Amino acid sequence: ITKPVALILLAHYVADIHQPLHVGAEYFDTQGRIADPDKDKSVLGDQGGNIFTLELSDEPPRKRGMHKKKFHGFWDYDAVNALFPQAPSTLGKSDLQALIEPLKKELVHEMATHEPRNCRMPPSIPIDNYAEMWADEILPIAREAHERVQFTNVHPQQEEDRVVAAGEADEKPRPDQKNYRTWATNTVRDELHKAGWRLADLLQKIL
């Protein structure tokens, strides 16, 4: 593996470990009920939400032929795109890029010039332990990402060489009235901010 490829992979992995559904998952028994994999080895995992669809309370009515988004894909794409103003659907690709690009640069500049709180690892922690600590840190957020939805129609589904849990995830109403999209977008912003600074810190220490 070349150094440029190694750098690309490292940046990718550092970002990935700050996405909650890359670290946490939900498990279900054969009846579709949430179960503990430490107590029941026959439970099925949700593959980080890749096989579950997601229905949000602020979702506009879907037109005929439009598919529901995937739970995992929402965190990879929708929650990130929501960091920027929603552009008219009639806007062409080049016009959309012209609109978003300055906003991206502004966001990157803001993140790069303001260090987030609690992003640096204690000096006593070996670099080899960073990934484990970052994963432990994101787990409570992964738990909340799952607790904020109601799982329905959960069933076993064959995926290549294994059987996984599939179904639907519907946003639960919240007493604080903060909807899932807003919470997830704020979370994504914070985690991307930390990931960028942590990557820079890691590169300074290993290069």
Side-chain angles (χ1 to χ4, degrees), residues 19-21 23-25 71 138-147 183:
Q19 201 270 57
L21 266 63
V23 179
F71 189 20
I138 200 75
L139 273 175
I141 298 175
R143 178 187 294 275
E144 185 171 355
H146 286 83
E147 289 178 342
W183 171 76

Side-chain angles (χ1 to χ4, degrees), residues 109-130:
H109 180 266
E110 181 185 344
M111 288 185 173
T113 53
H114 295 82
E115 181 174 346
R117 291 182 300 170
N118 303 321
C119 73
R120 294 184 183 271
M121 295 293 98
S124 59
I125 302 298
I127 291 175
D128 289 350
N129 292 355
Y130 281 13

Side-chain angles (χ1 to χ4, degrees), residues 17-164:
I17 209 168
H18 287 80
Q19 201 270 57
L21 266 63
H22 284 150
V23 179
E26 193 63 271
Y27 293 85
F28 303 87
D29 63 19
T30 54
Q31 304 301 313
R33 297 171 299 204
I34 293 175
D36 186 343
D38 290 331
K39 297 178 181 178
D40 182 357
K41 300 303 180 183
S42 67
V43 298
L44 302 175
D46 71 353
Q47 299 292 291
N50 272 299
I51 318 296
F52 278 74
T53 58
L54 177 65
E55 188 75 27
L56 299 180
S57 60
D58 64 346
E59 204 76 61
R62 282 187 305 281
K63 297 178 182 178
R64 188 174 182 180
M66 290 182 65
H67 298 289
K68 290 184 179 181
K69 61 173 58 70
K70 294 295 186 181
F71 189 20
H72 187 104
F74 168 81
W75 280 91
D76 275 348
Y77 303 107
D78 297 64
V80 177
N81 291 334
L83 292 170
F84 307 104
Q86 187 172 6
S89 58
T90 55
L91 209 59
K93 186 175 180 180
S94 58
D95 291 332
L96 178 62
Q97 188 170 358
L99 174 67
I100 296 298
E101 200 59 34
L103 300 175
K104 282 185 180 179
K105 290 181 179 179
E106 182 181 338
L107 180 61
V108 168
H109 180 266
E110 181 185 344
M111 288 185 173
T113 53
H114 295 82
E115 181 174 346
R117 291 182 300 170
N118 303 321
C119 73
R120 294 184 183 271
M121 295 293 98
S124 59
I125 302 298
I127 291 175
D128 289 350
N129 292 355
Y130 281 13
E132 183 179 354
M133 288 196 66
W134 295 340
D136 287 344
E137 180 187 88
I138 200 75
L139 273 175
I141 298 175
R143 178 187 294 275
E144 185 171 355
H146 286 83
E147 289 178 342
R148 281 175 169 262
V149 298
Q150 178 71 44
F151 294 101
T152 59
N153 299 324
V154 180
H155 58 276
Q157 181 168 307
Q158 185 73 41
E159 288 291 320
E160 298 179 353
D161 60 341
R162 54 187 165 179
V163 178
V164 300

